[in-house]
């Protein structure tokens, strides 16, 4: 079932059960001021995506409806498609090695898989996330693929570029994560790397450390894609990095 169909079923249910206004998908231009900066929600999102706004914890309350409409409407998908198109152009010009060690790193949440059904249910602001409800969602293995990322994955596989999934998900979700990936079309991979249970290191240190290990093992990281800046910052980044949009949360 595609992302659009899954979201439609979620939104139909919530619209008929008096859910928050964001689920009604009313046109929202981004007006409404951020409570600290006083700028529009659209400008706040721009600052987030350019990594000028750092260390924030949740979407500002005045911007929750705007972010919900951005994510569920066509704008988010269009922005993701632009990133994917650039990745495809880059892939088309790659000169690959003959040792079979060329790899592309994919983040999972909001990169390979979309958790929009979860957020459509829980909202996009301060009340949206808690470990218990999100882990329960992960263990259902029902997250749809982000279509643009799946398209890129299939192209890479056709060229013989191996894929490594590198996620901040914990090791105890391995079975559910692998099941989810395969169910939506990511049928094979070189490695699925998850955090050790109890690892509390910063995401940027954890992921850059994994990439260092991969390079030491002889892999050539030809590409790296994620929704968080912490997915792609920190040496070695890879030959080329791609940042997908995600104004729902920030991981450092």
């Amino acid at each position: 079932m595609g992302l659009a169909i899954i979201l439609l079923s979620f939104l139909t249910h919530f619209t008929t059960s008096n859910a928050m206004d964001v689920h009604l998908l009313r046109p929202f231009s981004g007006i409404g001021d951020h409570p600290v900066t006083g700028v529009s929600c659209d400008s706040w999102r721009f600052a987030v995506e350019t990594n000028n706004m750092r260390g924030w914890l949740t979407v500002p309350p005045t911007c929750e409806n705007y972010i919900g409409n951005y994510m569920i409407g066509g704008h988010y998908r269009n922005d993701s498609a632009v990133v994917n198109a650039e990745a495809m152009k880059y892939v088309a010009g790659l000169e690959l090695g003959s040792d079979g060690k060329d790899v592309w790193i994919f983040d999972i949440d909001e990169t390979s898989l979309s958790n929009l059904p979860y957020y459509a249910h829980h909202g996009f602001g301060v009340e949206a996330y808690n470990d218990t409800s999100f882990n329960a969602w992960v263990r259902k293995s029902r997250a749809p693929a982000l279509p643009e990322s799946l398209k890129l994955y299939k192209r890479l596989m056709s060229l013989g570029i191996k894929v490594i999934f590198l996620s901040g998900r914990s090791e105890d979700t391995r079975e559910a994560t692998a099941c989810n990936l395969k169910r939506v079309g990511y049928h094979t991979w070189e490695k699925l790397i998850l955090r050790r249970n109890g690892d509390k290191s910063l995401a940027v240190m954890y992921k850059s450390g994994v990439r260092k290990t991969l390079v030491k093992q002889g892999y050539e990281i030809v590409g790296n894609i994620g929704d968080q800046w912490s997915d792609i910052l920190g040496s070695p980044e890879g030959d080329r990095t791609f940042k997908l949009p995600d104004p729902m949360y920030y991981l450092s």
Side-chain angles (χ1 to χ4, degrees):
M1 184 181 296
L3 176 60
I5 296 175
I6 290 178
L7 286 176
L8 180 61
S9 65
F10 267 81
L11 296 173
T12 300
H13 168 74
F14 293 124
T15 301
T16 57
S17 59
N18 299 317
M20 298 189 306
D21 287 347
V22 65
H23 304 309
L24 302 179
L25 292 185
R26 297 186 303 181
F28 225 77
S29 65
I31 58 175
D33 291 341
H34 183 284
V36 176
T37 64
V39 300
S40 73
C41 296
D42 193 53
S43 298
W44 177 83
R45 182 178 63 83
F46 175 80
V48 163
E49 295 297 0
T50 54
N51 205 29
N52 290 309
M53 190 78 68
R54 302 180 185 181
W56 55 280
L57 298 178
T58 61
V59 174
T62 55
C63 296
E64 182 176 356
N65 282 10
Y66 166 73
I67 293 301
N69 279 272
Y70 168 79
M71 293 300 300
I72 296 176
H75 198 168
Y76 167 64
R77 284 289 306 279
N78 289 341
D79 288 350
S80 298
V82 169
V83 177
N84 180 69
E86 288 303 306
M88 288 290 197
K89 290 179 185 177
Y90 168 69
V91 169
L94 279 176
E95 295 184 6
L96 304 178
S98 59
D99 58 0
K101 301 291 278 188
D102 293 311
V103 297
W104 191 293
I105 295 179
F106 280 76
D107 173 52
I108 292 181
D109 293 302
E110 275 56 71
T111 299
S112 306
L113 301 176
S114 171
N115 296 303
L116 275 179
Y118 171 86
Y119 289 101
H121 178 73
H122 293 277
F124 294 86
V126 67
E127 303 295 334
Y129 179 90
N130 70 69
D131 287 340
T132 300
S133 62
F134 187 76
N135 287 335
W137 159 253
V138 166
R139 294 179 192 285
K140 291 179 180 178
S141 302
R142 297 301 298 174
L146 184 65
E148 289 72 27
S149 294
L150 184 58
K151 180 179 179 181
L152 176 60
Y153 165 87
K154 291 179 177 179
R155 179 59 177 155
L156 295 170
M157 296 300 291
S158 72
L159 295 173
I161 300 173
K162 295 180 171 66
V163 165
I164 292 178
F165 291 106
L166 172 55
S167 174
R169 291 186 177 193
S170 59
E171 183 63 40
D172 59 7
T173 68
R174 176 172 294 275
E175 182 177 355
T177 299
C179 176
N180 201 157
L181 288 168
K182 290 181 178 180
R183 186 183 64 81
V184 299
Y186 300 100
H187 296 301
T188 186
W189 49 79
E190 179 75 357
K191 294 177 183 287
L192 171 58
I193 302 174
L194 306 176
R195 273 187 186 263
R196 295 189 306 273
N197 294 336
D199 179 5
K200 301 297 183 181
S201 60
L202 292 176
V204 68
M205 298 186 67
Y206 157 64
K207 292 201 169 184
S208 63
V210 170
R211 292 195 300 270
K212 286 179 182 177
T213 298
L214 292 172
V215 170
K216 288 180 180 178
Q217 293 173 347
Y219 289 103
E220 175 70 22
I221 303 173
V222 298
N224 180 13
I225 189 168
D227 67 296
Q228 299 288 316
W229 283 96
S230 55
D231 294 331
I232 59 179
L233 294 178
S235 180
E237 296 89 355
D239 294 345
R240 178 74 189 270
T241 61
F242 296 89
K243 167 69 170 67
L244 287 164
D246 184 3
M248 295 191 297
Y249 53 84
Y250 180 91
L251 298 176
S252 55

